[in-house]
Amino acid sequence: KSSEMKNDAMRNNPETAEEKLREYLDKTSKVPINIAVTGDGGNGKSSFVNAFRGVDDNDDHAAPTGVDETTMEVKEYPHPNHPNVIFSDLPGIGTTKFPASKYLKLVGFKKFDLFIIISAGRFTENDAKLAKEIKKMGKKFYFVRSKVDLDLQNEQRKQDFSEQKTLEKIRDYCLKEHKIESQQVFLVSSHDIHLYDFSLLRDTIERDLPDHKKDALLLASPSIFPDIIEKKKKFFQRQIWCLTALSGVVAAVPLPGLSVAVDLALVVGAVTHYVVGFGLDIPSLRRTADRTGIPYDELKAVIKSQLAAEEITKELITKVILQLSSRAALMVAEEVSRFIPFVGIPMSMTLSAVTTYNLLKLFLDVLAEDAQRISDRILMG
């Protein structure tokens, strides 16, 4: 990619060079993941799908929920910010249209990376049969016990109530009648995903995915968890080195003004990825407000960066850069150094790399801090 960028730049074609940069940044977002969510009707499949996607049950793009079976065919729900990550809401197994014996074939088994089997009570014989068939075909499956918050509310009325003992009881009860060895049951509440085993489930799925799909799941994961924010930050930090190298290559072209133009496009693209990845873009913040019940303005008030909850443009980036006097001076020095005989181009490459690295690292740090502030506000309740 760097050699293609250099050729485009030497043809005085910064727009094409910018496109190369965008292709690099979009690489992870093109890795497909298809997660199947199944179980009997009314067990909370759709609410789980919405929760993982960060969408409120009443959102126009939400999977429909209800006390009865609302899913009568396979329906795909892409993540709103990362459409390469798809959650497929499957019909309940054992219905007339989807008998257990033909279920996997009818829903299109091969296209799914993994299966999540959800129950709001004890897992059924059909659930156990499905799990064994999935295992036989070499794919991963996970038992998820939903609506745990409701069980705890009911048990709290008892004088000898213990949350830990109640959770252990629920876990033991789920698969009591089915001999499925070494299979963990994840306890979740789709309304309070920061509680119980939701984070553990996500981490387990990430661990089990092929290496080339791990980052795609990470970027689509809710930034409500501090460890997810840190993982995302480290992922973006790894990208900075490559982007720095690309900046240096473009800066080597002795065309006045070209390096700064392409560098701005690079920074805009990278910062946009940070903002969306951390869920700090306006649509994501509004979805977070809807799901948590915390007013949008209140969430926005905890943000300190000028880059979050804004459209990332060259004008905005330029404005922020000019407020950072030392870094702005370094960018100007880069352009001036081009015209120093013999040493101008190597110096320009070095200064471009340093400038790009410092800017991206700074912007990443402040946006990660904003993501943590949003997380703290949500977890505070």
Side-chain angles (χ1 to χ4, degrees):
K1 291 294 183 185
S2 60
S3 61
E4 294 176 10
M5 281 178 49
K6 184 174 181 178
N7 290 336
D8 289 326
M10 291 189 74
R11 297 190 193 102
N12 199 14
N13 191 356
E15 290 80 12
T16 308
E18 291 177 24
E19 181 62 30
K20 303 293 184 190
L21 290 169
R22 282 193 292 271
E23 287 178 12
Y24 171 78
L25 289 169
D26 288 339
K27 184 177 180 181
T28 302
S29 65
K30 293 179 181 178
V31 177
I33 301 178
N34 200 326
I35 298 173
V37 183
T38 184
D40 287 341
N43 280 346
K45 293 177 299 171
S46 297
S47 290
F48 177 84
V49 168
N50 294 335
F52 212 122
R53 295 165 62 234
V55 174
D56 184 68
D57 286 345
N58 296 315
D59 191 279
D60 291 340
H61 302 289
T65 59
V67 295
D68 299 319
E69 176 59 68
T70 55
T71 305
M72 299 307 295
E73 59 185 14
V74 179
K75 293 184 178 180
E76 296 185 345
Y77 296 95
H79 189 282
N81 285 347
H82 307 278
N84 55 306
V85 179
I86 297 172
F87 293 84
S88 291
D89 192 358
L90 307 189
I93 186 172
T95 59
T96 304
K97 189 177 179 181
F98 291 89
S101 59
K102 299 179 180 179
Y103 186 81
L104 288 176
K105 182 178 181 181
L106 290 172
V107 300
F109 171 83
K110 292 183 179 179
K111 68 180 178 181
F112 301 115
D113 292 283
L114 55 95
F115 286 76
I116 294 175
I117 305 172
I118 292 186
S119 175
R122 182 177 289 180
F123 287 93
T124 66
E125 184 178 350
N126 282 337
D127 293 330
K129 287 180 180 178
L130 175 60
K132 290 174 182 177
E133 286 300 310
I134 295 171
K135 187 175 183 180
K136 188 186 299 183
M137 295 186 182
K139 291 197 177 182
K140 294 287 186 179
F141 65 91
Y142 308 86
F143 283 117
V144 170
R145 173 59 160 77
S146 65
K147 305 182 181 182
V148 174
D149 51 329
L150 299 181
D151 292 296
L152 289 172
Q153 286 177 20
N154 292 331
E155 289 293 318
Q156 281 178 351
R157 299 168 184 168
K158 298 180 179 180
Q159 289 184 347
D160 59 346
F161 170 74
S162 165
E163 179 173 307
Q164 183 177 352
K165 289 182 179 179
T166 302
L167 292 175
E168 290 174 358
K169 182 180 178 181
I170 294 172
R171 207 185 304 274
D172 293 340
Y173 174 81
C174 289
L175 292 174
K176 190 173 183 180
E177 295 181 359
H178 309 296
K179 295 181 180 179
I180 302 177
E181 297 179 0
S182 303
Q183 190 60 40
Q184 184 173 4
V185 177
F186 298 91
L187 309 182
V188 305
S189 164
S190 295
H191 298 292
D192 297 297
I193 63 173
H194 59 287
L195 301 177
Y196 319 119
D197 295 337
F198 192 99
S199 179
L200 178 61
L201 170 65
R202 196 222 67 86
D203 291 346
T204 304
I205 291 174
E206 182 182 314
R207 182 194 67 203
D208 291 342
L209 282 173
D211 288 343
H212 70 289
K213 296 196 174 191
K214 294 182 188 296
D215 289 334
L217 180 71
L218 172 64
L219 292 180
S221 297
S223 292
I224 188 174
F225 305 107
D227 63 315
I228 294 299
I229 295 173
E230 187 60 29
K231 283 184 178 181
K232 288 183 178 182
K233 183 178 178 181
K234 289 180 179 178
F235 167 77
F236 290 130
Q237 282 175 334
R238 292 196 299 270
Q239 284 189 333
I240 289 179
W241 292 106
C242 296
L243 294 173
T244 298
L246 294 179
S247 174
V249 169
V250 177
V253 182
L255 295 172
L258 177 60
S259 174
V260 168
V262 175
D263 279 350
L264 278 177
L266 183 152
V267 174
V268 167
V271 171
T272 300
H273 274 248
Y274 303 162
V275 170
V276 173
F278 286 128
L280 295 172
D281 56 299
I282 295 173
S284 292
L285 284 174
R286 292 198 181 280
R287 287 192 295 268
T288 299
D290 290 338
R291 277 199 59 81
T292 61
I294 302 172
Y296 170 80
D297 290 340
E298 195 170 324
L299 288 176
K300 190 174 179 180
V302 305
I303 292 173
K304 294 188 176 180
S305 167
Q306 298 179 59
L307 301 171
E310 296 288 346
E311 180 184 357
I312 306 302
T313 62
K314 291 183 180 180
E315 290 73 22
L316 176 61
I317 293 295
T318 301
K319 175 184 175 183
V320 175
I321 289 175
L322 290 176
Q323 292 174 353
L324 306 169
S325 57
S326 60
R327 289 175 174 80
L330 191 53
M331 185 171 282
V332 173
E334 174 194 342
E335 290 303 310
V336 172
S337 69
R338 294 179 182 282
F339 306 103
I340 301 176
F342 305 112
V343 299
I345 290 176
M347 185 182 295
S348 175
M349 291 177 66
T350 301
L351 288 171
S352 176
V354 170
T355 304
T356 301
Y357 178 87
N358 285 336
L359 285 173
L360 293 181
K361 186 176 182 301
L362 175 66
F363 293 157
L364 177 57
D365 287 344
V366 297
L367 288 168
E369 289 171 4
D370 277 338
Q372 187 59 58
R373 291 187 187 96
I374 294 291
S375 173
D376 292 343
R377 176 62 188 87
I378 295 170
L379 296 179
M380 183 176 67

